[in-house]
């Protein structure tokens, strides 16, 4: 579905944020993008979602291809229409609008009213709290609920590819597990996901494949379970999340066993 080929990105003349990055996301896959601060993870999502120019960045080499068509010169709305939607870092909801109005705003990019209706049912099923709090001002939701609203709003256009930038950031361990299980469910329902995370254990539990970025370059890439077992990843990225990891693991397993028509989750079976 998505190919990033030889991608290099700069901000101004001085900052080389990405250098010759290659990656692929299949139709029915979750790709985790890992790396420390400043590795280029957000820049990668900005480039795929077409918002790089808003941050004064520019592609200096390479291409981003979605369904065999080049998208790195398209604006964000055109990329949403092609089925790729981003949830930027920091739960950027419309705080003064109601929960329902936020969801409606997300649905503006939907191909038809029927797609919007199906998407709304799916969002309310995934996040019952958003149906319960429909009339409430979004700014009054808790941090975890705001993250759910941000993801729900992105799902309202019926995307085939969801781009998530650090959805677990700042959330309590229990909520990290909840977000992990929701991503697993979204995947099971047939939406591909690119998951940027600093919480590597959570991301590697949910993902099929992963890439590790270091200073704008791909340092490691491979199946998520293989990377999770690699000494380098263990040493650099799997040190500090023990409590939330156990919670995420339990929640993801629960999502897997409760889901019907599970695809691509056989790693967790048994
Ligand atoms: P973090 O996990 O801290 O969010 P990241 O992996 O997402 O980091 P990016 O935000 O993509 O990394 O940043 C990659 C590099 O580009 C860094 O050196 C950063 O300082 C720089 N950078 C990011 N945004 C801009 C910008 N708008 N203008 C100039 N430099 C930027």
């Amino acid at each position: 579905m998505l190919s990033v080929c030889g991608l290099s990105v700069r901000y101004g003349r001085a900052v080389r944020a990405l250098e010759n990055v290659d990656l692929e996301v299949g139709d029915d896959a979750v790709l985790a993008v890992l790396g420390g601060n400043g590795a280029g993870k957000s820049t990668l999502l900005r480039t795929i979602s077409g918002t790089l120019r808003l941050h004064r960045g520019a592609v200096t080499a390479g291409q981003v291809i979605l369904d065999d068509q080049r998208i790195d010169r398209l604006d964000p709305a055109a990329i949403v229409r092609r089925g790729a939607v981003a949830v930027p870092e920091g739960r950027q909801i419309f705080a003064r609008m109601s929960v329902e109005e936020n969801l409606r705003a997300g649905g503006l990019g939907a191909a038809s009213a029927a797609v919007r209706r199906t998407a709304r049912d799916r969002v309310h099923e995934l996040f019952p709290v958003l149906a319960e709090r429909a009339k409430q001002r979004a700014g009054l939701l808790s941090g975890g609920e705001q993250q759910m609203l941000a993801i729900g709003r992105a799902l309202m256009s019926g995307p085939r590819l969801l781009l998530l930038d650090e959805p677990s950031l700042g959330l309590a361990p229990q909520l990290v597990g909840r977000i992990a299980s929701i991503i697993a469910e979204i995947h099971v329902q047939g939406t591909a996901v690119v998951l940027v995370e600093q919480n590597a254990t959570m991301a590697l539990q949910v993902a099929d494949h992963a890439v590790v970025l270091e200073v704008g370059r791909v340092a490691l890439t491979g199946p998520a379970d293989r990377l999770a077992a690699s000494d380098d990843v263990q040493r650099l990225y799997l040190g500090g999340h023990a409590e939330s990891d156990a919670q995420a693991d339990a929640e993801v397993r629960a999502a897997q066993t409760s889901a019907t028509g599970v695809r691509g989750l056989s790693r967790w079976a048994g």
Side-chain angles (χ1 to χ4, degrees), residues 9-12 15-18 34-46 52 54-57 89 165-166 169 196-198 213 215-216:
V9 170
R10 285 188 185 205
Y11 294 101
V15 182
R16 292 181 176 199
L18 294 176
L34 310 175
N37 290 117
K41 306 181 298 298
S42 297
T43 300
L44 177 67
L45 283 205
R46 288 171 187 166
L52 185 63
L54 305 176
H55 296 269
R56 300 180 187 280
E89 190 180 332
D165 197 351
E166 303 223 21
L169 193 70
V196 161
E197 262 298 339
Q198 289 217 16
L213 293 179
V215 209

Side-chain angles (χ1 to χ4, degrees), residues 106-183:
L108 294 175
S112 68
V115 170
R116 248 190 314 271
R117 272 195 299 277
T118 308
R120 186 183 308 270
D121 290 347
R122 178 189 189 193
V123 167
H124 283 166
E125 206 172 293
L126 278 170
F127 308 106
V129 69
L130 300 183
E132 289 156 19
R133 307 268 173 94
K135 303 285 180 234
Q136 193 171 327
R137 257 174 65 171
L140 298 176
L141 297 176
S142 71
E145 289 162 352
Q146 290 187 9
Q147 184 59 272
M148 292 177 196
L149 179 56
I151 297 173
R153 191 179 59 191
L155 290 175
M156 281 297 294
S157 65
R160 291 175 302 115
L161 176 64
L162 189 63
L163 309 162
L164 297 174
D165 197 351
E166 303 223 21
S168 80
L169 193 70
L171 298 184
Q174 201 179 355
L175 280 171
V176 173
R178 177 84 190 107
I179 294 292
S181 73
I182 285 164
I183 296 167

